[in-house]
Amino acid sequence: MKPKVFISSTFYDLKYIREDLSTFITSQHYEPILFEDGNIGYVFGKPIDHSCYDAMKSCDMVILIIGGKYGSKSSDNDDGFAEYLSVTRKEFRTAIENHIPVFAFIDNKVYNEYDIYHKNISIINENIPIAFVHTDNVNVFKFIDELKSTVGLPIFQFLYASDIKHILSEQFADMMKKYLSSLRERKQIETLENTLQRIDSAINTLNAKINVVGGKLYRNNETFNFKVQNEISLTVEQAKMTHKAIVTFNTIVKNIHLFAINNENKNENVDCFLSSIVKASEIINPIMNTQGTYDNQYFFNIIRDCLAANNITASSMSSDLFRNFDDVYDALHNENIVNELKHMLVDNYDRLVMKKT
């Protein structure tokens, strides 16, 4: 029942922080996974670092800590790096590829030097050496670049282990709140779906009765009978579209969250957001249907770019968005469903857009 938390970092420069975090995670009744504590099973004849990657795949969360050391060489080095791909960086990629939540922490002193690195990138690219005080390898900065380009990845700075523990305490509490909220939302969705099913059933029953009565009483009044049938059909169709709008609404607000938008007009913001998602869906859907498999990160980038075209920035996105993407695509291309969806998003705006702090 205990969530497994993998601690990923270089060892010698951060071993005391790793020890402190291991104690903290245990105090939260979670299970820390650290190679130095013997929590990883190694397979004879297989590269040692591969056992770390395999162990990570069974974890529920990853805490990534970046200090001044780039770390030891991974056995997988076909990425064309000027120097090499480190084990820690490979662990991060393994977590992302397996959709494991990652919380990234960067040493504040290293992050300051990261800014210096970017201000002098043209000099560094000309192979003119620049010495950094707290960082031993420019690939540390390239690693940070990769973190910053990953959509939905929370990145924090720290000076001491206590900073990391404080942030994790808040994040754990927030995750519990979101879980409890999801249970409540799930119950609301089930109630709505049950209500719609009862409405649908009642309308079908009414439809059948009118067919019988209409056949007897209005056999000679075809115009009246057609009108009644048409109104009932429209009512049934409206109920089904409302249901699709509710399902699409919940899919969106669970899997996409936005930073606060400067425009205070909620209706305009929702219109821009939906037009961006429609555009992204028209790019993504053909790829999914053609390839059968999909690259979450590639699709995230498509959505992010479509949002950016309307000056909207995503704070987080979840791969669950793509599980039933055909249904989302169909809903977004039905004008009646989109109109209902707009009203829902405007009425529940704070579930889509982060509040300004």
Side-chain angles (χ1 to χ4, degrees):
M1 292 177 62
K2 293 183 179 181
K4 293 183 178 180
V5 182
F6 191 103
I7 299 180
S8 176
S9 76
T10 52
F11 175 67
Y12 289 105
D13 58 325
L14 296 170
K15 62 181 178 180
Y16 296 114
I17 288 181
R18 291 171 64 90
E19 290 175 4
D20 203 357
L21 287 180
S22 177
T23 302
F24 167 75
I25 291 168
T26 302
S27 72
Q28 302 297 306
H29 302 289
Y30 297 171
E31 181 181 349
I33 304 297
L34 301 90
F35 79 89
E36 64 266 32
D37 288 351
N39 304 131
I40 294 173
Y42 296 101
V43 179
F44 178 76
K46 189 175 184 179
I48 291 178
D49 59 321
H50 278 216
S51 296
C52 294
Y53 313 142
D54 290 341
M56 175 179 284
K57 293 175 184 177
S58 65
C59 290
D60 303 289
M61 182 190 308
V62 174
I63 298 174
L64 172 66
I65 311 168
I66 297 180
K69 303 290 185 183
Y70 186 55
S72 57
K73 182 178 180 180
S74 166
S75 60
D76 299 332
N77 274 275
D78 55 357
D79 291 61
F81 276 90
E83 296 183 24
Y84 61 88
L85 177 68
S86 71
V87 171
T88 304
R89 192 165 183 178
K90 179 65 176 180
E91 288 176 343
F92 167 71
R93 292 185 177 184
T94 301
I96 295 300
E97 289 166 2
N98 289 274
H99 317 300
I100 303 171
V102 178
F103 291 97
F105 295 88
I106 303 173
D107 186 302
N108 182 263
K109 298 184 292 296
V110 173
Y111 201 88
N112 289 335
E113 291 192 334
Y114 171 74
D115 290 335
I116 296 172
Y117 163 78
H118 270 284
K119 289 179 180 178
N120 294 276
I121 191 70
S122 60
I123 297 174
I124 294 171
N125 288 340
E126 293 174 2
N127 294 320
I128 298 175
I130 293 180
F132 294 94
V133 177
H134 302 289
T135 312
D136 71 343
N137 191 316
V138 293
N139 272 343
V140 171
F141 305 131
K142 295 176 183 178
F143 189 3
I144 295 174
D145 279 337
E146 184 173 344
L147 299 185
K148 291 171 71 68
S149 68
T150 303
V151 175
L153 176 69
I155 301 174
F156 307 94
Q157 297 180 46
F158 73 93
L159 283 174
Y160 309 103
S162 58
D163 299 331
I164 300 177
K165 291 188 289 185
H166 173 71
I167 292 171
L168 286 176
S169 294
E170 292 186 334
Q171 293 299 316
F172 291 165
D174 182 67
M175 292 172 73
M176 174 58 75
K177 178 177 174 55
K178 287 177 179 175
Y179 169 70
L180 295 174
S181 296
S182 71
L183 292 180
R184 186 170 62 252
E185 289 173 2
R186 188 183 307 164
K187 186 63 178 178
Q188 291 171 347
I189 292 170
E190 290 174 355
T191 301
L192 284 170
E193 289 179 343
N194 290 337
T195 301
L196 288 170
Q197 287 174 1
R198 288 197 298 272
I199 291 172
D200 201 4
S201 177
I203 290 173
N204 288 336
T205 301
L206 179 60
N207 193 14
K209 289 180 178 179
I210 288 178
N211 281 336
V212 174
V213 174
K216 294 179 180 179
L217 299 180
Y218 303 105
R219 185 172 289 108
N220 296 324
N221 193 341
E222 294 181 359
T223 301
F224 178 84
N225 195 40
F226 173 79
K227 182 178 179 181
V228 171
Q229 294 294 335
N230 191 46
E231 288 179 353
I232 291 173
S233 297
L234 289 174
T235 303
V236 172
E237 187 62 27
Q238 182 60 43
K240 290 179 178 179
M241 285 192 294
T242 299
H243 179 225
K244 289 180 180 178
I246 292 171
V247 172
T248 306
F249 166 79
N250 282 287
T251 298
I252 288 175
V253 298
K254 283 183 179 180
N255 296 294
I256 302 179
H257 299 95
L258 310 177
F259 283 117
I261 306 172
N262 292 330
N263 186 356
E264 298 297 334
N265 189 314
K266 293 182 180 180
N267 286 287
E268 290 182 4
N269 292 342
V270 169
D271 282 339
C272 288
F273 167 73
L274 284 176
S275 66
S276 301
I277 297 302
V278 168
K279 183 65 176 177
S281 72
E282 290 172 349
I283 300 172
I284 293 171
N285 204 58
I287 299 174
M288 293 183 69
N289 292 334
T290 301
Q291 295 182 352
T293 59
Y294 51 90
D295 181 343
N296 286 338
Q297 189 59 51
Y298 178 51
F299 290 164
F300 285 151
N301 289 339
I302 292 174
I303 295 175
R304 180 192 62 195
D305 292 341
C306 290
L307 290 171
N310 283 316
N311 296 317
I312 301 173
T313 305
S315 63
S316 65
M317 284 189 273
S318 169
S319 58
D320 286 346
L321 176 66
F322 305 120
R323 287 189 177 177
N324 298 298
F325 198 73
D326 282 341
D327 293 335
V328 174
Y329 178 85
D330 291 340
L332 291 175
H333 288 77
N334 184 305
E335 184 177 351
N336 293 323
I337 294 176
V338 169
N339 287 334
E340 290 209 34
L341 185 57
K342 284 180 183 178
H343 292 303
M344 293 179 188
L345 289 171
V346 171
D347 292 340
N348 297 272
Y349 192 70
D350 290 341
R351 291 179 64 186
L352 177 68
V353 180
M354 293 177 61
K355 293 181 179 179
K356 293 183 179 179
T357 57

